[in-house]
């Protein structure tokens, strides 16, 4: 890799198209492929404001290197994607050992890394005096479902030791992330714990019409990847129960693509649920906006197999002014105590009951909906943004 100077900061930022985001950032535009402000653009802002040099590594599948001033972006695909079992673990470790090799070769002052699994590996660059900032976008385990398997206990023990000794700061996307760090480290956390929220442009939601409660037509909306661990198949049972209870006025739009989309369509047809479930597939931004406007409630039935940090569909449902029904692993209860109805994972009866009450009781519906505006403000406040938290972490690390 050709760089004008060794970077002072290295940021490993996940699978996003960071080169594409950088092009938008260079032109002063918001990345049109994202609803929220991207973390990479916020990173660029913080680096530029401090006059630092940086390398940003993404695991995006398209190999690319892009340089702008003192910032270099590299797309370095992680070959673990799509693999399972031992093949996944081998490819995963190979990728991250390669990243750590790059860190040791370039010797930055600070490394910022998001959502690693084997966090203890970062003790290696720390031995050489490199400051470590950790960024938790996911929890270590689904809320309320900490694994007791031997492999997980060993991994959690190593990661807990890492958190007691190494990070200079940890950015937590939700209170649950912070709670789990404290639990993992037995209350002996190294460095500062910094809460952050995804950041949104107010204009993105300002024009979405307020939902109109209608006793004769009540529409639910699921948005996100169509995968089993996202709980979308549980919604088929929920809708079948509602139809059996003569709740024919309630319908569901399923918006999103994923590996289980074809299976879902086939199952909807097999069960004869086409009259109440519309599988719309992947939608562009204008079609998604229209889907929000048609809906009265957003449903987020994530299963106990997925370690959410803070589910973004929950956030965007509240920002659109819709009450949300979500499972506990979405970690919304601390952030949206008034606008999200929280249920245990897989509790279809409770979800049916919650939906029926929202669809039949206008006063109850309005009492939930009325909380959306106030609870949305934290996501428009730049002082609570991920970028602001990163800035504070960098200032600590660079003292």
């Amino acid at each position: 890799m050709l760089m004008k100077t060794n970077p002072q900061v290295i940021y490993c930022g996940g699978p996003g198209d960071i080169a594409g985001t950088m092009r938008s950032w260079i032109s002063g535009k918001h990345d049109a492929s994202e609803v929220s402000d991207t973390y990479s653009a916020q990173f660029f802002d913080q680096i530029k404001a401090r006059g630092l040099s940086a390398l940003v590594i993404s695991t995006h599948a398209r190999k690319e290197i892009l340089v702008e001033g003192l910032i270099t972006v590299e797309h370095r695909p992680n070959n673990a994607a799509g693999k399972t079992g031992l093949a996944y673990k081998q490819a995963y470790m190979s990728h991250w050992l390669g990243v750590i090799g790059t860190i040791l070769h370039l010797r930055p002052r600070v490394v910022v890394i998001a959502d690693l699994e084997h966090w203890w590996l970062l003790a290696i660059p720390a031995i050489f005096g490199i400051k470590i900032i950790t960024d938790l976008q996911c929890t270590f385990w689904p809320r309320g479902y900490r694994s007791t398997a031997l492999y997980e206990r060993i991994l959690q023990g190593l990661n807990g030791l890492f958190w007691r000794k190494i990070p200079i700061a940890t950015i937590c996307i939700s209170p649950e992330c912070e709670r789990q760090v404290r639990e993992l480290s037995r209350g002996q956390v190294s460095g500062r714990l910094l809460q952050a929220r995804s950041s949104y442009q107010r204009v993105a939601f300002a024009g979405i019409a307020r939902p109109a409660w209608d006793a004769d037509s009540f529409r639910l909306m699921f948005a996100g990847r169509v995968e089993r661990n996202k709980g979308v198949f549980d919604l088929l049972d929920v809708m079948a129960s509602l139809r059996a209870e003569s709740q024919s006025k309630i319908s569901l739009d399923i918006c999103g693509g994923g590996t289980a989309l074809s299976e879902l369509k086939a199952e909807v047809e097999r069960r004869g649920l086409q009259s109440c479930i519309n599988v719309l597939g992947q939608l562009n931004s204008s079609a998604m906006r229209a889907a929000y406007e048609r809906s009265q409630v957003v449903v987020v039935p994530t299963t106990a197999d997925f370690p959410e940090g803070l589910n973004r569909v929950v956030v965007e449902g509240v920002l659109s002014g819709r009450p949300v029904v979500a499972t506990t692993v979405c970690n919304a209860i601390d952030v949206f105590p008034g606008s999200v109805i929280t249920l245990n994972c897989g509790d279809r009866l409770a979800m049916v009951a919650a939906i029926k009450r929202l669809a039949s009781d206008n006063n109850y519906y309005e009492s939930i909906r009325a909380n959306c505006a106030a609870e949305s403000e934290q996501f428009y406040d730049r002082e609570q943004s991920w970028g602001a938290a990163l800035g504070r972490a960098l200032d600590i690390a660079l003292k």
Side-chain angles (χ1 to χ4, degrees):
M1 181 194 309
L2 296 176
M3 299 187 66
K4 296 178 182 179
T5 181
N6 273 18
Q8 293 164 287
V9 181
I10 291 180
Y11 171 43
C12 299
D17 182 2
I18 295 181
T21 297
M22 189 176 192
R23 291 188 180 91
S24 298
W25 179 78
I26 291 168
S27 64
K29 297 177 181 177
H30 177 79
D31 186 343
S33 67
E34 299 287 342
V35 178
S36 62
D37 297 339
T38 61
Y39 296 129
S40 50
Q42 294 179 70
F43 174 85
F44 299 149
D45 287 340
Q46 296 296 329
I47 292 299
K48 182 178 179 181
R50 288 163 176 76
L52 299 170
S53 57
L55 168 65
V56 182
I57 299 174
S58 165
T59 57
H60 193 275
R62 185 186 74 252
K63 289 186 177 182
E64 183 175 357
I65 294 177
L66 180 63
V67 180
E68 170 63 17
L70 295 177
I71 302 175
T72 298
V73 170
E74 178 190 0
H75 285 181
R76 186 184 298 188
N78 185 343
N79 292 326
K83 293 183 171 67
T84 58
L86 183 59
Y88 168 84
K89 294 186 185 302
Q90 289 175 333
Y92 173 91
M93 292 299 287
S94 175
H95 172 81
W96 281 107
L97 289 173
V99 170
I100 289 172
T102 298
I103 292 168
L104 295 178
H105 174 68
L106 296 176
R107 294 293 179 92
R109 294 175 65 187
V110 184
V111 168
V112 183
I113 290 194
D115 288 332
L116 195 54
E117 181 181 353
H118 294 261
W119 290 98
W120 57 271
L121 289 171
L122 297 179
I124 299 171
I127 290 170
F128 293 89
I130 297 168
K131 305 294 187 189
I132 307 297
I133 296 172
T134 49
D135 174 26
L136 294 180
Q137 295 294 316
C138 291
T139 53
F140 298 98
W141 54 83
R143 181 177 185 144
Y145 296 91
R146 185 173 183 177
S147 175
T148 58
L150 178 60
Y151 170 81
E152 292 295 334
R153 292 206 311 271
I154 294 171
L155 178 60
Q156 290 170 14
L158 290 170
N159 287 340
L161 182 61
F162 164 79
W163 249 282
R164 290 197 293 275
K165 303 291 185 181
I166 302 299
I168 198 75
T170 296
I171 301 172
C172 303
I173 205 63
S174 69
E176 180 63 18
C177 288
E178 180 172 335
R179 263 196 298 272
Q180 291 192 12
V181 169
R182 294 186 185 279
E183 183 177 342
L184 201 66
S185 64
R186 299 175 185 173
Q188 302 174 41
V189 182
S190 169
R192 287 276 302 279
L193 292 176
L194 302 167
Q195 280 291 314
R197 298 290 175 265
S198 300
S199 183
Y200 289 82
Q201 303 289 328
R202 197 180 295 271
V203 67
F205 296 91
I208 295 180
R210 171 178 165 173
W213 185 87
D214 187 343
D216 297 319
S217 178
F218 198 83
R219 191 179 296 268
L220 313 173
M221 175 183 173
F222 169 92
R225 287 192 59 77
V226 178
E227 309 289 352
R228 283 199 170 271
N229 61 12
K230 288 295 186 177
V232 64
F233 285 87
D234 289 349
L235 293 178
L236 304 190
D237 292 334
V238 169
M239 294 306 296
S241 295
L242 289 169
R243 190 177 64 171
E245 296 179 24
S246 300
Q247 299 291 326
S248 58
K249 65 178 182 179
I250 301 175
S251 61
L252 167 67
D253 286 345
I254 297 177
C255 310
T259 61
L261 182 61
S262 296
E263 182 186 359
L264 179 72
K265 288 179 176 178
E267 188 65 10
V268 168
E269 185 173 349
R270 186 188 71 80
R271 298 177 63 167
L273 296 172
Q274 303 95 317
S275 63
C276 59
I277 297 179
N278 308 304
V279 182
L280 303 177
Q282 191 71 41
L283 302 179
N284 60 30
S285 57
S286 61
M288 275 297 297
R289 189 183 187 89
Y292 272 116
E293 290 198 327
R294 288 194 303 270
S295 70
Q296 278 81 31
V297 171
V298 174
V299 286
V300 189
T302 307
T303 72
D305 298 321
F306 196 87
E308 300 270 20
L310 178 61
N311 186 285
R312 286 205 177 189
V313 177
V314 172
V315 175
E316 291 163 16
V318 173
L319 266 59
S320 71
R322 271 68 187 163
V324 177
V325 178
T327 55
T328 53
V329 296
C330 296
N331 298 322
I333 193 168
D334 305 301
V335 181
F336 298 114
S339 51
V340 176
I341 299 167
T342 303
L343 312 169
N344 290 330
C345 295
D347 193 342
R348 300 174 184 85
L349 292 178
M351 183 165 285
V352 168
I355 291 167
K356 284 173 63 178
R357 187 176 179 190
L358 288 165
S360 61
D361 186 339
N362 187 23
N363 290 333
Y364 176 67
Y365 177 88
E366 285 298 322
S367 72
I368 304 295
R369 187 207 59 75
N371 294 316
C372 291
E375 293 184 350
S376 295
E377 286 302 313
Q378 59 195 301
F379 294 88
Y380 299 131
D381 182 359
R382 292 298 179 265
E383 288 302 309
Q384 297 188 59
S385 69
W386 183 88
L390 173 66
R392 290 190 283 272
L394 287 171
D395 291 342
I396 294 167
L398 294 170
K399 279 184 179 179

